[in-house]
Amino acid sequence: MKKRVIFTTVVAFVLLGAVIAAGLNAIFTVTHVRTDFTTYSEEGRAEAIELRERLDGFVGKSSTFLHLEEIEKIVEEYPFFRIEALEKRYPTTVYLRVSERRETLAILREDGKYDLYADSGTFLRTADDAENRAGGSNVLLEGFSLRAEGEPQTLTGEYAEAVLAAVRAMEEKLVELRANVLAFTLVKNTSSARNDYIRVTMREGVVVDLANPAVLAGEKAALALQCYEGLSDEDRCFGYITVVDGENGELIFDYSRNSLLG
């Protein structure tokens, strides 16, 4: 008799647990995956449609037991996209905000193809040319010994941080770097690394030289643009803007028709 009571009690608890689980599953079930996309290209818009359809596959799953890492793994299959925000909004919604990385930089490979990178330095794809998928050309990185490493793959190597800092600083002021800049070229000096410089070729013709780029490359690029913005339309077609370290560590810029660095 006692065993029968225990058995009945256990069965009752199991049934109660099943009822509770079923009730929770009914309440905490994903009915909507809300995704806000920011895209810059036709390819990005097409990929956003495809990704949204795949994310709709989470509808009907338990929001309680859904791991957001599952969503992250799907988005990672699209290298041009990055997640800006991702969260469960109980009881029935998963929200994420996704933006398309701006394809901006290009490096010519030994096999004649180009590795293309976002403005952040994230590797995006390999292509036959340096054309941007949103139209126009990407900005060339020349003379650098750079490679993509890590996960996600990101530019590393000598002066990688310096050139990316210069890219960020110039993009803040120019908004669309590719509209004004053709290339960043590293010029090495055999006598001293302090005499190395990054040469930025602007579309109008004027050249920007950032001396000793290992030190404050971003600040030097911002100062160079301050000078650039003050030039007349004619002066932007010729000459050189040079930014160097002063004797007391201050940054000094100069505009002249001839190069001060070579």
Side-chain angles (χ1 to χ4, degrees):
M1 184 67 179
K2 186 176 181 180
K3 290 183 178 179
R4 182 179 297 177
V5 171
I6 293 174
F7 177 76
T8 303
T9 303
V10 171
V11 171
F13 274 112
V14 170
L15 291 174
L16 178 61
V19 170
I20 293 174
L24 288 175
N25 187 61
I27 296 173
F28 295 98
T29 297
V30 177
T31 60
H32 182 52
V33 179
R34 178 187 166 192
T35 310
D36 290 334
F37 285 98
T38 300
T39 59
Y40 304 101
S41 65
E42 288 297 328
E43 289 88 344
R45 285 184 276 277
E47 289 174 357
I49 293 172
E50 178 183 308
L51 179 55
R52 180 178 282 114
E53 291 176 351
R54 293 186 63 185
L55 293 175
D56 283 342
F58 288 98
V59 172
K61 293 191 174 184
S62 169
S63 57
T64 302
F65 299 106
L66 172 65
H67 298 291
L68 295 180
E69 290 80 3
E70 298 177 55
I71 293 177
E72 291 174 346
K73 287 181 180 179
I74 291 179
V75 178
E76 286 171 2
E77 295 178 23
Y78 298 80
F80 275 86
F81 286 144
R82 62 167 173 260
I83 295 176
E84 304 286 358
L86 174 60
E87 62 182 2
K88 297 179 185 178
R89 293 182 175 177
Y90 287 105
T92 61
T93 301
V94 175
Y95 170 78
L96 66 159
R97 187 171 71 252
V98 179
S99 64
E100 182 181 3
R101 290 185 170 97
R102 286 182 180 271
E103 184 178 285
T104 304
L105 307 172
I107 299 177
L108 178 62
R109 298 165 23 141
E110 292 183 358
D111 62 3
K113 294 182 180 293
Y114 289 85
D115 284 338
L116 306 181
Y117 294 82
D119 49 7
S120 61
T122 301
F123 173 76
L124 297 175
R125 64 187 176 110
T126 298
D128 292 331
D129 53 43
E131 294 304 297
N132 189 283
R133 73 178 193 164
S137 298
N138 287 304
V139 178
L140 296 175
L141 299 184
E142 302 173 321
F144 295 88
S145 295
L146 302 173
R147 59 194 178 279
E149 290 186 351
E151 188 57 44
Q153 290 189 305
T154 305
L155 272 180
T156 60
E158 186 179 25
Y159 292 119
E161 292 183 7
V163 71
L164 290 176
V167 166
R168 287 192 297 270
M170 298 186 80
E171 204 161 43
E172 283 183 8
K173 287 185 173 294
L174 297 174
V175 181
E176 177 54 78
L177 187 76
R178 297 186 303 113
N180 297 84
V181 178
L182 291 173
F184 290 83
T185 304
L186 176 64
V187 181
K188 299 276 289 183
N189 190 293
T190 56
S191 62
S192 171
R194 180 177 173 78
N195 294 325
D196 294 346
Y197 60 94
I198 292 176
R199 172 160 287 177
V200 187
T201 305
M202 309 297 286
R203 284 192 179 275
E204 296 96 330
V206 69
V207 171
V208 173
D209 286 338
L210 308 176
N212 189 21
V215 178
L216 300 176
E219 288 81 350
K220 288 173 180 174
L223 189 60
L225 278 189
Q226 180 180 323
C227 175
Y228 168 82
E229 290 173 342
L231 295 178
S232 66
D233 290 342
E234 180 183 356
D235 285 339
R236 288 187 183 185
C237 296
F238 307 96
Y240 297 81
I241 299 171
T242 307
V243 185
V244 300
D245 304 280
E247 293 182 359
N248 298 319
E250 75 278 16
L251 301 182
I252 302 171
F253 70 85
D254 177 81
Y255 170 77
S256 62
R257 288 301 175 97
N258 299 305
S259 171
L260 301 181
L261 299 179

